[in-house]
Amino acid sequence: MKNNRAMRSLTALCLAALLLAGCSAPNSASSTSSASQGQEVESSSSDSVSQISSTPEQTPDNTGEFFDSRDLDETWDDSSSIQIAFSGDSAEITGQGGAAALRDGILTISKAGTYVLSGELSGSVVVEAGKDDFVHLVLKGVSIACESSAPLNIRQADQVTITLAEGTENTVTDGTNYQYDDPDAEEPSAALFSKDDLALNGSGSLTIQANHNNGIQSKDDLRISGGNYHVTAVKNGIVGKDSLVISGGSFDVNAQNDGLKSTNSTDEGRGYIHLSGGIYRVVSESDGFQAETDFTITGGEFEIVTAGGSANSSSSGKGMWGQTTESTADEVSAKGIKAGQSLTISGGTFNLDTSDDSIHSNGSIEVTGGSFRLASGDDGVHADELLVIEDGEMEITQSYEGLEALDIRLNGGSVQINASDDGINAAGGNDGSSMGGRPGQNAFGGGQGTLTITGGYYLVNAQGDGLDSNGSIEMSGGTVLVNGPEDNGNGPLDYGGNFLISGGTLIAAGSSGMAQTTSGDSSQNAVMYYLDAMESGTAVRLERADGAEICTFSPAKRYNCILMSLPELTPGDYVLKSGGTVSGESYSGETAAVSFTISEAVTYLDSNGVTQGRGFGGGGFGGGRGNHGDPNQGWDGRMKDKGGKGGRPQDLELPEGFEPPTGKPEMSGDMEPPAPPETETPSTPAI
């Protein structure tokens, strides 16, 4: 908002005092008039009444940080409103409380007040009131079509609030060519256009067909607290330049550019989006949501498809994508949810099918809650700088790289990843680890990259590296299960510094060609087992010397090495069995059993017993760097302690449907992974 709310409240008190001191009451008699094409009709009331209507009160609810009473009030009084019933290019205007004039099919509103619009207008509604005026428009079953300009064009006011009357359907349609009010700025630039603050509320519906440019646009703040919106736009769907704040409503948006966005990149504290509720079904050729600066989501339901979805992958070089080294390049951006500076998500359900990154920030991302199902043609979640996950349930069914940032901190929640390159990448390879880079790849700031894991559950199926850090990895808690690569050009673990583990459960299986273990100066012990090539689903079982089971793991893909580090691996005697199968709670049929003693931080084994670490270049399945295979391979590699349920790979091709995940996966025991949610194919929502 342009004006300070406290100053507005003070103005309200002063005006109220003046009225009580002797200002006459407005004329209670209503005026009635009608107009035809080419005539001018006006109905007005005293300036005092107009000014009183422009003073807001703070709302007492928890939306008061962004909304005031003028934004949220959906009521009106017919006795102090102007009723405007359109018929073609004429209208019947009755009532009082403002000023409205019709000429040549253009209804001009020039004073503060409440205006109730109904009927069909072949023309436009223009608000050109005083710069301190508050105008309340009630759409009560109105249809406005204009071929040459914005059907709803707010040129000047302090603020306009539009209420969609309960039970009504309202439509706004424009033409393909405009006669601009401001040719230099090419404005108006939306079917519903406002140069000043704009708020929308109510429970009715508004359908906008924007054939020239944007659907809904405010050059200041745009706040929406209710309503049902169906927006089809040849450019952007819904735009608030300084801010876009939504607390409720339903939105079906089909846009040839971005779906919903805020664009101010020059004024400090502007260009942000805050979403605390709402139901969103967005189909866009560019970003689904895009905030120029900060983006906050505390609730809502999101279904987003960008640029044809993950099948039109930016990482495969298909479709519209061109190579860039800057993640800010809009011409190659078809991300689901994107922030220019910071992105914070604490709640909501998300079902995203995106050609580019599903969730992206040019700065930082923090996830503290929410349920996510992401299918991405590029990265599932990408931050140029810092990614923090504290809680929430996330399923990345398809991605180039699952989680990616310069620095990654995993402190809680449940994340399941299927990646055609690296599963979790802390700036490993600068997002270009495939041969020669790739279209759409992102860039990072300076620094080596770090991966820190303190809690949570992470199931990784990666055709490239499982966990990849250009710098170091530290793990002190949580459960990490890695179904790593089958080719020798990658490894289940890949780091450039140290991997210090002091707590938690880590099991990583895959090819041995580039395999690394945890660091020798870690405080928690680990076992690295090199074995003959094993088919997917073939289990490995770790027992104490007395036969007590520690864990059983069935990798989802072929493997010939497996690393295990658990708190239970204290110095002592153990047996590691391999080649068996799991049926119910039973493990049997092992083809090899190796007895060994743990006395060092990392113990290396092969079929003959304790051996030396092989470093890079052991056996494997062949294949060179960059041979990452099918991104839709199964990822059922799981572990169950004291029961050893294994699992064959599942087919991760998503079935029909587009339902967000519900419920929270439950864990039983300190190593039991949650079952993945039922997966359904994100299909393009019909608008």
Side-chain angles (χ1 to χ4, degrees):
M1 295 183 180
K2 301 188 298 294
N3 297 330
N4 184 279
R5 296 185 187 273
M7 290 297 294
R8 286 176 167 174
S9 298
L10 179 60
T11 303
L13 292 173
C14 293
L15 288 171
L18 287 173
L19 286 175
L20 292 173
C23 290
S24 60
N27 190 339
S28 60
S30 64
S31 60
T32 303
S33 56
S34 62
S36 302
Q37 177 68 24
Q39 294 180 318
E40 181 175 345
V41 176
E42 183 169 315
S43 176
S44 62
S45 60
S46 69
D47 289 341
S48 295
V49 173
S50 298
Q51 289 298 321
I52 281 292
S53 68
S54 70
T55 56
E57 295 179 0
Q58 282 297 124
T59 175
D61 64 23
N62 59 8
T63 62
E65 180 182 358
F66 300 103
F67 294 87
D68 64 27
S69 59
R70 301 190 314 178
D71 304 325
L72 301 172
D73 189 3
E74 304 174 8
T75 63
W76 69 93
D77 184 352
D78 285 340
S79 66
S80 58
S81 303
I82 290 185
Q83 310 288 321
I84 303 173
F86 296 113
S87 178
D89 56 5
S90 63
E92 181 180 1
I93 305 175
T94 60
Q96 63 181 16
L102 180 70
R103 181 182 294 275
D104 298 328
I106 300 175
L107 179 82
T108 301
I109 294 171
S110 56
K111 286 186 179 181
T114 298
Y115 303 81
V116 183
L117 311 181
S118 62
E120 296 184 6
L121 172 64
S122 297
S124 63
V125 174
V126 175
V127 176
E128 196 156 15
K131 64 180 182 179
D132 296 323
D133 282 354
F134 168 59
V135 175
H136 187 191
L137 299 181
V138 179
L139 306 190
K140 192 178 180 181
V142 68
S143 177
I144 307 171
C146 184
E147 288 293 324
S148 59
S149 187
L152 277 171
N153 186 4
I154 301 166
R155 293 174 179 169
Q156 179 173 288
D158 175 52
Q159 176 181 316
V160 172
T161 293
I162 297 176
T163 294
L164 307 179
E166 181 180 2
T168 66
E169 296 182 1
N170 307 276
T171 63
V172 171
T173 306
D174 66 6
T176 57
N177 297 303
Y178 274 21
Q179 296 175 5
Y180 294 118
D181 298 343
D182 184 346
D184 292 336
E186 297 186 347
E187 291 175 352
S189 51
L192 196 176
F193 178 80
S194 178
K195 291 183 70 70
D196 294 296
D197 288 349
L198 176 64
L200 296 103
N201 63 35
S203 58
S205 69
L206 175 60
T207 298
I208 293 181
Q209 180 68 48
N211 299 304
H212 174 69
N213 201 323
N214 303 323
I216 301 173
Q217 181 178 6
S218 169
K219 295 299 294 291
D220 280 342
D221 297 313
L222 175 57
R223 297 178 295 278
I224 304 175
S225 57
N228 303 288
Y229 302 88
H230 308 269
V231 180
T232 302
V234 297
K235 290 193 178 177
N236 305 301
I238 299 176
V239 182
K241 179 181 178 181
D242 288 350
S243 68
L244 174 61
V245 179
I246 302 177
S247 64
S250 67
F251 303 83
D252 283 347
V253 178
N254 193 326
Q256 294 301 305
N257 285 5
D258 297 330
L260 295 88
K261 67 189 302 184
S262 185
T263 61
N264 192 334
S265 61
T266 58
D267 297 328
E268 185 176 359
R270 302 292 186 181
Y272 64 87
I273 295 178
H274 187 283
L275 308 177
S276 58
I279 300 172
Y280 306 88
R281 302 178 76 244
V282 179
V283 178
S284 63
E285 285 302 312
S286 296
D287 299 324
F289 286 78
Q290 191 258 327
E292 193 67 30
T293 57
D294 299 329
F295 200 146
T296 301
I297 301 174
T298 63
E301 299 178 16
F302 300 81
E303 295 182 354
I304 303 172
V305 177
T306 68
S310 54
N312 185 30
S313 168
S314 67
S315 62
S316 68
K318 298 177 182 178
M320 59 180 285
W321 305 106
Q323 186 163 334
T324 178
T325 57
E326 296 185 5
S327 58
T328 57
D330 290 336
E331 65 271 22
V332 294
S333 182
K335 298 168 174 63
I337 295 173
K338 175 183 175 183
Q341 294 180 4
S342 69
L343 172 60
T344 302
I345 301 175
S346 59
T349 58
F350 302 83
N351 201 2
L352 278 57
D353 185 15
T354 60
S355 175
D356 206 342
D357 301 343
S358 289
I359 298 175
H360 175 100
S361 174
N362 295 345
S364 64
I365 296 175
E366 182 179 20
V367 178
T368 61
S371 296
F372 304 81
R373 181 183 289 119
L374 311 178
S376 173
D378 200 345
D379 301 331
V381 181
H382 171 95
D384 283 3
E385 296 174 2
L386 173 65
L387 169 62
V388 179
I389 297 180
E390 298 282 351
D391 202 353
E393 306 152 29
M394 185 177 295
E395 181 186 8
I396 303 174
T397 62
Q398 178 177 328
S399 65
Y400 179 74
E401 291 178 330
L403 305 179
E404 180 177 71
L406 180 65
D407 295 302
I408 301 175
R409 302 171 190 172
L410 305 178
N411 302 324
S414 171
V415 181
Q416 304 183 38
I417 297 169
N418 194 49
S420 61
D421 194 50
D422 300 338
I424 299 175
N425 177 29
N430 196 32
D431 199 16
S433 55
S434 59
M435 288 293 289
R438 61 179 175 78
Q441 68 189 47
N442 299 299
F444 296 100
Q448 287 188 322
T450 60
L451 171 60
T452 305
I453 305 168
T454 64
Y457 169 81
Y458 310 92
L459 174 60
V460 177
N461 179 25
Q463 303 300 322
D465 299 320
L467 307 184
D468 188 354
S469 174
N470 270 8
S472 297
I473 302 175
E474 292 188 9
M475 182 173 177
S476 59
T479 298
V480 178
L481 309 179
V482 176
N483 295 287
E486 295 182 335
D487 68 84
N488 280 329
N490 297 278
L493 307 178
D494 183 8
Y495 56 91
N498 297 310
F499 189 153
L500 298 176
I501 184 167
S502 59
T505 296
L506 170 67
I507 299 183
S511 63
S512 61
M514 299 286 287
Q516 292 180 276
T517 69
T518 54
S519 298
D521 52 353
S522 295
S523 59
Q524 178 169 294
N525 297 316
V527 173
M528 181 64 157
Y529 185 28
Y530 301 98
L531 63 168
D532 294 334
M534 295 288 175
E535 292 300 316
S536 61
T538 306
V540 174
R541 181 182 183 91
L542 180 62
E543 300 177 351
R544 298 189 186 279
D546 60 6
E549 180 192 11
I550 296 175
C551 70
T552 300
F553 184 60
S554 300
K557 295 178 293 188
R558 291 191 302 162
Y559 65 102
N560 64 353
C561 74
I562 185 166
L563 174 72
M564 297 181 171
S565 180
L566 305 93
E568 293 85 353
L569 283 176
T570 56
D573 296 329
Y574 299 86
V575 176
L576 206 161
K577 300 178 180 179
S578 60
T581 58
V582 177
S583 177
E585 299 293 317
S586 301
Y587 170 85
S588 61
E590 66 268 17
T591 58
V594 179
S595 299
F596 63 99
T597 299
I598 290 180
S599 59
E600 298 182 359
V602 181
T603 301
Y604 299 90
L605 303 175
D606 62 18
S607 59
N608 297 315
V610 176
T611 185
Q612 299 295 315
R614 299 183 183 181
F616 296 153
F621 306 109
R625 183 181 298 275
N627 179 22
H628 301 321
D630 180 5
N632 290 318
Q633 280 206 15
W635 53 308
D636 188 31
R638 303 160 187 246
M639 174 182 61
K640 176 178 174 61
D641 70 327
K642 301 178 176 64
K645 285 184 180 178
R648 301 293 296 182
Q650 296 177 357
D651 183 358
L652 279 191
E653 290 186 4
L654 302 171
E656 290 294 321
F658 200 32
E659 296 298 326
T662 58
K664 183 174 182 179
E666 297 293 333
M667 295 188 186
S668 61
D670 59 354
M671 294 182 294
E672 176 71 2
E678 294 293 328
T679 57
E680 298 185 2
T681 299
S683 58
T684 301
I687 299 299

